Amino acid sequence: MAAAGSSLAAAWRVRGQTFDVARRALVMGVLNVTPDSFSEKGRYADPGAALERALAMVDEGADLIDVGGESTRPGSATVPVDEEIARIRPVLERLVPACKVPISIDTRKTEVARVALELGAGVLNDVSGLRADPAGGGHERARLAAMHGAGLVLMHMQGEPATMQQDPRYDNVVSEVKGFLFDAARRAGEAGVARESIALDPGVGFGKAFEHSLALLRGVGDLAAAGYPVLIGVSRKSFFAKFELALDQRLEAGLAAAAVCVLRGARIVRTHDVRATVRALRVVEALL
Ligand code: HH2
């Protein structure tokens, strides 16, 4: 096993539940309740349709469902906080009692995080790595996650979604992203988040040219060696456009990337294609 070592994460604690991530990698199903996400394009904006999709993903083997009320695809504009809350609230009210797996909230906004955690979300997926809402918001989001015993995903993003893909630059992308994530994890710890509740994500395609994302995917083992579960989201992303694959042609490519990342030590795979990913990863785990 490429990145196997005693320093890999053994557990991820998520609101009273401890995932044994040493045994197998987790699959996080994507549920975007937005009118404009790059892949779903509004299909699950209705809470009834969102619940149906969530239950289907649980049935397919999802370990978590990640609900997002704001698209962060390249070029997207930010959504007002009230609007984001209005999108996620009715969905979480239905999902939390109905799903047997933890629900994650994908947001950069402190007030959205607060509402979602109060409604029972088990994970805060902060795609800004505690950076957004700078006047104390990052600290407050971490404090809220700590108070609810929630899992906290810290993702790296350079810039803002509206402009992040225009000219991303790094001297050394792997060490810069790693440094940012370790610092975010330290700040989360200072706000009271338990080390075993923190997961790190290099943020494929978030302020990264193709070569930057490629270097980060190759460097997953290095990041995983720090002992935090590493989350990877490549599913259907424009990273695969370099391989001349249109949006509806990226399934096999996404599975290949997920398999290699898990082989290198990633422990959580965020995907739109739950059934296929679960099937592929069960084989990968058996072969490791
Ligand atoms: N990618 C997206 C959104 N949230 N969160 C984490 N932790 N990691 C990711 O790679 C990640 C994420 C973007 O993809 P998607 O949700 O499918 O699209 P959109 O932002 O258009 O809703």
Side-chain angles (χ1 to χ4, degrees):
M1 182 155 102
S6 55
S7 53
L8 286 182
W12 190 33
R13 218 159 74 209
V14 169
R15 229 190 232 239
Q17 181 173 345
T18 302
F19 285 111
D20 177 1
V21 293
R23 192 169 60 84
R24 66 174 181 85
L26 308 177
V27 173
M28 174 186 263
V30 178
L31 183 60
N32 287 318
V33 296
T34 53
D36 58 340
S37 286
F38 80 95
S39 178
E40 293 93 340
K41 301 193 175 71
R43 220 174 320 155
Y44 308 118
D46 169 69
L51 176 61
E52 207 176 304
R53 177 67 186 141
L55 292 173
M57 289 195 284
V58 172
D59 214 42
E60 291 171 9
D63 297 289
L64 307 118
I65 304 293
D66 188 37
V67 174
E70 176 188 56
S71 175
T72 46
R73 73 188 184 287
S76 59
T78 188
V79 173
V81 62
D82 292 350
E83 167 85 35
E84 193 175 329
I85 291 173
R87 290 177 185 176
I88 61 108
R89 184 195 288 281
V91 172
L92 288 173
E93 281 171 352
R94 284 170 177 76
L95 261 61
V96 170
C99 291
K100 62 179 188 203
V101 304
I103 307 301
S104 158
I105 179 72
D106 178 344
T107 190
R108 304 180 283 161
K109 298 194 183 79
T110 310
E111 287 315 307
V112 178
R114 188 191 313 281
V115 169
L117 290 165
E118 279 170 7
L119 287 171
V123 173
L124 172 56
N125 174 17
D126 187 333
V127 295
S128 81
L130 302 181
R131 191 170 51 90
D133 201 356
H139 181 82
E140 179 62 8
R141 288 196 297 286
R143 203 190 62 78
L144 286 165
M147 197 172 86
H148 290 279
L152 179 63
V153 177
L154 299 169
M155 195 194 82
H156 174 273
M157 162 165 42
Q158 185 185 83
E160 295 297 314
T163 51
M164 67 189 178
Q165 289 306 94
Q166 284 171 10
D167 186 22
R169 287 179 193 209
Y170 300 85
D171 290 325
N172 181 329
V173 68
V174 174
S175 64
E176 285 171 47
V177 167
K178 220 165 67 170
F180 172 88
L181 291 175
F182 292 171
D183 188 54
R186 181 189 55 76
R187 286 184 291 133
E190 283 169 6
V193 181
R195 188 185 160 93
E196 314 81 73
S197 291
I198 297 172
L200 304 182
D201 179 350
V204 171
F206 282 89
K208 279 123 192 157
F210 172 77
E211 288 71 21
H212 299 138
S213 288
L214 190 64
L216 289 165
L217 290 169
R218 287 179 174 153
V220 159
D222 195 24
L223 183 59
Y228 297 99
V230 169
L231 185 153
I232 292 293
V234 279
S235 170
R236 301 185 190 174
K237 283 195 175 164
S238 48
F239 171 81
F240 296 118
K242 262 278 192 247
F243 301 89
E244 296 181 10
L245 297 168
L247 185 58
D248 63 353
Q249 298 172 331
R250 295 175 186 167
L251 173 63
E252 299 87 346
L255 296 176
V260 171
C261 288
V262 167
L263 187 66
R264 290 186 172 150
R267 297 285 78 198
I268 311 161
V269 174
R270 182 181 181 278
T271 181
H272 301 84
D273 301 299
V274 170
R275 190 193 304 278
T277 304
V278 167
R279 286 177 177 169
L281 292 188
R282 291 303 82 88
V283 177
V284 171
E285 300 291 345
L287 298 181
L288 283 177

Short mmCIF file of all heavy atoms in Angstrom, two decimals, residues 44-70:
data_model
loop_
_atom_site.label_atom_id
_atom_site.label_comp_id
_atom_site.label_asym_id
_atom_site.label_seq_id
_atom_site.Cartn_x
_atom_site.Cartn_y
_atom_site.Cartn_z
N TYR A 44 -32.30 19.00 -7.42
CA TYR A 44 -32.67 18.66 -6.04
C TYR A 44 -32.98 19.90 -5.19
O TYR A 44 -32.91 19.85 -3.97
CB TYR A 44 -31.57 17.81 -5.39
CG TYR A 44 -31.21 16.63 -6.25
CD1 TYR A 44 -29.93 16.49 -6.77
CD2 TYR A 44 -32.17 15.68 -6.59
CE1 TYR A 44 -29.61 15.42 -7.59
CE2 TYR A 44 -31.87 14.62 -7.42
CZ TYR A 44 -30.58 14.49 -7.92
OH TYR A 44 -30.27 13.44 -8.73
N ALA A 45 -33.33 21.01 -5.86
CA ALA A 45 -33.66 22.23 -5.12
C ALA A 45 -34.95 22.05 -4.32
O ALA A 45 -35.12 22.64 -3.27
CB ALA A 45 -33.77 23.41 -6.08
N ASP A 46 -35.86 21.20 -4.79
CA ASP A 46 -37.09 20.92 -4.06
C ASP A 46 -36.79 19.95 -2.91
O ASP A 46 -36.16 18.91 -3.12
CB ASP A 46 -38.11 20.29 -5.03
CG ASP A 46 -39.30 19.74 -4.28
OD1 ASP A 46 -40.06 20.55 -3.73
OD2 ASP A 46 -39.44 18.50 -4.19
N PRO A 47 -37.22 20.28 -1.67
CA PRO A 47 -36.88 19.43 -0.52
C PRO A 47 -37.34 17.97 -0.65
O PRO A 47 -36.65 17.07 -0.19
CB PRO A 47 -37.57 20.12 0.66
CG PRO A 47 -37.78 21.53 0.23
CD PRO A 47 -37.94 21.50 -1.25
N GLY A 48 -38.47 17.76 -1.28
CA GLY A 48 -38.95 16.38 -1.49
C GLY A 48 -38.01 15.61 -2.40
O GLY A 48 -37.64 14.45 -2.12
N ALA A 49 -37.59 16.24 -3.47
CA ALA A 49 -36.65 15.59 -4.41
C ALA A 49 -35.30 15.38 -3.73
O ALA A 49 -34.63 14.36 -3.95
CB ALA A 49 -36.49 16.46 -5.65
N ALA A 50 -34.91 16.33 -2.87
CA ALA A 50 -33.63 16.21 -2.15
C ALA A 50 -33.66 15.01 -1.21
O ALA A 50 -32.70 14.22 -1.13
CB ALA A 50 -33.35 17.49 -1.38
N LEU A 51 -34.78 14.85 -0.49
CA LEU A 51 -34.89 13.72 0.44
C LEU A 51 -34.84 12.39 -0.32
O LEU A 51 -34.13 11.46 0.08
CB LEU A 51 -36.20 13.82 1.24
CG LEU A 51 -36.48 12.64 2.18
CD1 LEU A 51 -35.37 12.50 3.23
CD2 LEU A 51 -37.84 12.79 2.86
N GLU A 52 -35.55 12.34 -1.42
CA GLU A 52 -35.57 11.11 -2.23
C GLU A 52 -34.15 10.75 -2.70
O GLU A 52 -33.72 9.61 -2.61
CB GLU A 52 -36.47 11.36 -3.43
CG GLU A 52 -37.11 10.11 -4.00
CD GLU A 52 -38.06 10.49 -5.13
OE1 GLU A 52 -38.98 11.30 -4.88
OE2 GLU A 52 -37.84 10.01 -6.24
N ARG A 53 -33.43 11.77 -3.16
CA ARG A 53 -32.06 11.55 -3.63
C ARG A 53 -31.14 11.12 -2.48
O ARG A 53 -30.32 10.22 -2.63
CB ARG A 53 -31.52 12.83 -4.28
CG ARG A 53 -30.10 12.78 -4.75
CD ARG A 53 -29.91 11.81 -5.90
NE ARG A 53 -28.50 11.64 -6.24
CZ ARG A 53 -27.94 10.49 -6.58
NH1 ARG A 53 -28.64 9.38 -6.64
NH2 ARG A 53 -26.66 10.44 -6.87
N ALA A 54 -31.32 11.75 -1.31
CA ALA A 54 -30.49 11.40 -0.15
C ALA A 54 -30.73 9.94 0.25
O ALA A 54 -29.77 9.18 0.47
CB ALA A 54 -30.79 12.32 1.03
N LEU A 55 -31.99 9.55 0.32
CA LEU A 55 -32.29 8.17 0.72
C LEU A 55 -31.76 7.17 -0.31
O LEU A 55 -31.27 6.09 0.05
CB LEU A 55 -33.81 8.00 0.91
CG LEU A 55 -34.40 8.77 2.11
CD1 LEU A 55 -35.93 8.67 2.11
CD2 LEU A 55 -33.83 8.27 3.43
N ALA A 56 -31.81 7.56 -1.58
CA ALA A 56 -31.27 6.68 -2.62
C ALA A 56 -29.75 6.52 -2.44
O ALA A 56 -29.22 5.41 -2.56
CB ALA A 56 -31.59 7.24 -4.00
N MET A 57 -29.07 7.62 -2.12
CA MET A 57 -27.60 7.53 -1.94
C MET A 57 -27.25 6.70 -0.70
O MET A 57 -26.27 5.94 -0.71
CB MET A 57 -26.98 8.92 -1.86
CG MET A 57 -26.98 9.64 -3.20
SD MET A 57 -25.89 11.10 -3.24
CE MET A 57 -26.87 12.27 -2.34
N VAL A 58 -28.06 6.82 0.36
CA VAL A 58 -27.82 6.00 1.56
C VAL A 58 -27.98 4.53 1.18
O VAL A 58 -27.17 3.67 1.55
CB VAL A 58 -28.78 6.40 2.70
CG1 VAL A 58 -28.66 5.43 3.87
CG2 VAL A 58 -28.49 7.82 3.17
N ASP A 59 -29.01 4.25 0.42
CA ASP A 59 -29.27 2.90 -0.05
C ASP A 59 -28.11 2.36 -0.90
O ASP A 59 -27.79 1.17 -0.87
CB ASP A 59 -30.53 2.97 -0.92
CG ASP A 59 -31.35 1.72 -0.79
OD1 ASP A 59 -31.46 1.24 0.34
OD2 ASP A 59 -31.84 1.23 -1.84
N GLU A 60 -27.49 3.25 -1.64
CA GLU A 60 -26.36 2.85 -2.50
C GLU A 60 -25.07 2.68 -1.70
O GLU A 60 -24.05 2.27 -2.24
CB GLU A 60 -26.15 3.90 -3.60
CG GLU A 60 -27.28 3.94 -4.62
CD GLU A 60 -27.17 5.12 -5.57
OE1 GLU A 60 -26.14 5.83 -5.56
OE2 GLU A 60 -28.13 5.35 -6.32
N GLY A 61 -25.10 3.05 -0.41
CA GLY A 61 -23.92 2.83 0.43
C GLY A 61 -23.20 4.07 0.89
O GLY A 61 -22.08 3.98 1.43
N ALA A 62 -23.81 5.24 0.73
CA ALA A 62 -23.16 6.48 1.20
C ALA A 62 -23.00 6.44 2.72
O ALA A 62 -23.92 6.05 3.43
CB ALA A 62 -23.96 7.70 0.78
N ASP A 63 -21.84 6.85 3.20
CA ASP A 63 -21.59 6.93 4.65
C ASP A 63 -22.02 8.27 5.21
O ASP A 63 -22.24 8.41 6.41
CB ASP A 63 -20.10 6.73 4.93
CG ASP A 63 -19.63 5.36 4.51
OD1 ASP A 63 -20.02 4.38 5.17
OD2 ASP A 63 -18.92 5.26 3.48
N LEU A 64 -22.08 9.29 4.34
CA LEU A 64 -22.49 10.64 4.73
C LEU A 64 -23.14 11.28 3.51
O LEU A 64 -22.84 10.91 2.38
CB LEU A 64 -21.28 11.51 5.10
CG LEU A 64 -20.31 11.01 6.14
CD1 LEU A 64 -18.93 10.82 5.53
CD2 LEU A 64 -20.23 12.00 7.28
N ILE A 65 -23.99 12.28 3.79
CA ILE A 65 -24.58 13.07 2.70
C ILE A 65 -24.15 14.52 2.91
O ILE A 65 -24.34 15.07 4.00
CB ILE A 65 -26.13 12.99 2.72
CG1 ILE A 65 -26.63 11.54 2.65
CG2 ILE A 65 -26.73 13.85 1.61
CD1 ILE A 65 -26.36 10.84 1.34
N ASP A 66 -23.59 15.13 1.87
CA ASP A 66 -23.09 16.50 1.97
C ASP A 66 -24.06 17.44 1.26
O ASP A 66 -24.16 17.43 0.03
CB ASP A 66 -21.70 16.57 1.31
CG ASP A 66 -21.02 17.91 1.54
OD1 ASP A 66 -21.17 18.48 2.64
OD2 ASP A 66 -20.31 18.37 0.62
N VAL A 67 -24.76 18.26 2.05
CA VAL A 67 -25.77 19.17 1.50
C VAL A 67 -25.15 20.55 1.27
O VAL A 67 -24.56 21.14 2.18
CB VAL A 67 -26.95 19.31 2.49
CG1 VAL A 67 -27.95 20.37 2.01
CG2 VAL A 67 -27.66 17.97 2.66
N GLY A 68 -25.31 21.07 0.06
CA GLY A 68 -24.77 22.38 -0.26
C GLY A 68 -25.85 23.31 -0.78
O GLY A 68 -26.62 22.92 -1.67
N GLY A 69 -25.91 24.53 -0.25
CA GLY A 69 -26.91 25.51 -0.67
C GLY A 69 -26.31 26.66 -1.46
O GLY A 69 -26.99 27.63 -1.77
N GLU A 70 -25.01 26.55 -1.76
CA GLU A 70 -24.36 27.60 -2.58
C GLU A 70 -23.39 26.91 -3.52
O GLU A 70 -22.51 26.17 -3.06
CB GLU A 70 -23.58 28.58 -1.69
CG GLU A 70 -22.82 29.62 -2.48
CD GLU A 70 -21.89 30.49 -1.62
OE1 GLU A 70 -21.03 29.94 -0.92
OE2 GLU A 70 -22.04 31.70 -1.67
#
